[in-house]
Protein backbone atom coordinates (compact mmCIF):
# COMPACT_ATOMS: atom_id res chain seq x y z
CA UNK A 1 0.00 0.00 0.00
CA UNK A 2 1.29 3.47 -0.78
CA UNK A 3 1.27 6.31 1.70
CA UNK A 4 -1.34 8.32 -0.25
CA UNK A 5 -3.87 5.47 -0.08
CA UNK A 6 -3.19 4.97 3.62
CA UNK A 7 -3.56 8.69 4.31
CA UNK A 8 -6.87 8.85 2.43
CA UNK A 9 -8.25 5.85 4.31
CA UNK A 10 -7.11 7.18 7.67
CA UNK A 11 -8.60 10.57 6.84
CA UNK A 12 -11.93 8.92 6.01
CA UNK A 13 -11.87 7.02 9.31
CA UNK A 14 -10.93 10.22 11.17
CA UNK A 15 -14.55 11.34 11.10
CA UNK A 16 -16.59 10.08 14.07
CA UNK A 17 -19.67 9.23 12.04
CA UNK A 18 -17.71 7.39 9.34
CA UNK A 19 -15.80 5.49 12.00
CA UNK A 20 -19.11 4.44 13.61
CA UNK A 21 -20.45 3.34 10.22
CA UNK A 22 -17.27 1.42 9.42
CA UNK A 23 -17.17 -0.30 12.81
CA UNK A 24 -20.81 -1.36 12.40
CA UNK A 25 -19.97 -2.89 9.03
CA UNK A 26 -16.88 -4.64 10.39
CA UNK A 27 -19.00 -6.07 13.21
CA UNK A 28 -21.64 -7.23 10.72
CA UNK A 29 -19.21 -9.64 9.07
CA UNK A 30 -19.08 -10.78 5.47
CA UNK A 31 -22.87 -10.59 5.02
CA UNK A 32 -22.77 -6.84 5.57
CA UNK A 33 -25.82 -4.72 6.31
CA UNK A 34 -28.63 -3.32 4.25
CA UNK A 35 -28.45 0.47 4.14
CA UNK A 36 -31.75 0.72 6.05
CA UNK A 37 -30.47 -1.50 8.85
CA UNK A 38 -27.21 0.43 8.96
CA UNK A 39 -29.15 3.69 9.17
CA UNK A 40 -31.23 2.33 12.08
CA UNK A 41 -28.14 1.06 13.86
CA UNK A 42 -26.23 4.34 13.54
CA UNK A 43 -29.27 6.59 13.99
CA UNK A 44 -28.56 9.18 11.29
CA UNK A 45 -30.52 10.59 8.37
CA UNK A 46 -30.40 8.70 5.08
CA UNK A 47 -28.76 11.61 3.25
CA UNK A 48 -26.06 11.89 5.93
CA UNK A 49 -25.40 8.16 5.81
CA UNK A 50 -25.19 8.27 2.02
CA UNK A 51 -22.60 11.06 2.18
CA UNK A 52 -20.42 9.14 4.64
CA UNK A 53 -20.78 5.84 2.80
CA UNK A 54 -19.63 7.45 -0.45
CA UNK A 55 -16.45 8.64 1.25
CA UNK A 56 -15.75 5.15 2.65
CA UNK A 57 -16.46 3.59 -0.75
CA UNK A 58 -14.21 6.09 -2.53
CA UNK A 59 -11.30 5.10 -0.30
CA UNK A 60 -11.93 1.38 -0.85
CA UNK A 61 -12.85 0.61 2.76
CA UNK A 62 -16.49 -0.28 1.96
CA UNK A 63 -18.21 -1.99 -0.95
CA UNK A 64 -21.87 -1.92 -1.96
CA UNK A 65 -23.91 -4.51 -3.81
CA UNK A 66 -27.49 -4.26 -4.94
CA UNK A 67 -29.83 -7.20 -4.35
CA UNK A 68 -33.13 -6.33 -6.07
CA UNK A 69 -34.23 -3.19 -4.21
CA UNK A 70 -31.85 -3.62 -1.28
CA UNK A 71 -28.41 -2.05 -1.17
CA UNK A 72 -25.97 -4.10 0.92
CA UNK A 73 -22.86 -2.48 2.39
CA UNK A 74 -19.82 -4.49 3.44
CA UNK A 75 -16.50 -3.68 5.02
CA UNK A 76 -13.68 -4.45 2.61
CA UNK A 77 -11.60 -6.65 4.91
CA UNK A 78 -8.68 -6.84 2.47
CA UNK A 79 -8.43 -3.04 2.52
CA UNK A 80 -8.74 -2.98 6.30
CA UNK A 81 -6.01 -5.59 6.70
CA UNK A 82 -3.83 -3.73 4.22
CA UNK A 83 -4.17 -0.51 6.20
CA UNK A 84 -3.47 -2.21 9.53
CA UNK A 85 -0.51 -4.01 7.96
CA UNK A 86 0.81 -0.75 6.53
CA UNK A 87 0.74 0.76 10.01
CA UNK A 88 2.26 -2.27 11.75
CA UNK A 89 4.85 -3.42 9.18
CA UNK A 90 7.42 -0.84 10.20
CA UNK A 91 6.82 -1.22 13.94
CA UNK A 92 10.05 -0.67 15.86
CA UNK A 93 12.18 -0.95 12.67
CA UNK A 94 14.35 2.00 13.65
CA UNK A 95 14.73 0.76 17.22
CA UNK A 96 16.02 -2.59 15.92
CA UNK A 97 18.48 -0.84 13.62
CA UNK A 98 19.79 1.29 16.49
CA UNK A 99 20.16 -1.81 18.68
CA UNK A 100 22.21 -3.49 15.95
CA UNK A 101 24.39 -0.38 15.58
CA UNK A 102 24.96 -0.27 19.32
CA UNK A 103 25.92 -3.96 19.41
CA UNK A 104 28.49 -3.58 16.61
Amino acid sequence: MNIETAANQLEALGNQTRLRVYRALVRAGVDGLAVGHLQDRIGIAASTLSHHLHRLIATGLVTQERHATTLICRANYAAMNGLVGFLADECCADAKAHAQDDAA
Side-chain angles (χ1 to χ4, degrees), residues 12-13 18 21-22 52-62:
L13 293 173
R18 283 193 290 272
V21 168
Y22 190 68
H52 289 297
L53 280 172
H54 284 289
R55 181 75 171 103
L56 292 168
I57 292 165
T59 60
L61 291 167
V62 169

Side-chain angles (χ1 to χ4, degrees), residues 53-99:
L53 280 172
H54 284 289
R55 181 75 171 103
L56 292 168
I57 292 165
T59 60
L61 291 167
V62 169
T63 62
Q64 282 186 334
E65 182 180 341
R66 184 167 293 283
H67 288 195
T69 60
T70 305
L71 194 57
I72 305 294
C73 298
R74 293 183 180 89
N76 180 343
Y77 293 103
M80 179 184 72
N81 291 333
L83 180 59
V84 170
F86 176 83
L87 294 172
D89 283 348
E90 300 287 323
C91 180
C92 306
D94 289 343
K96 292 174 189 172
H98 290 299

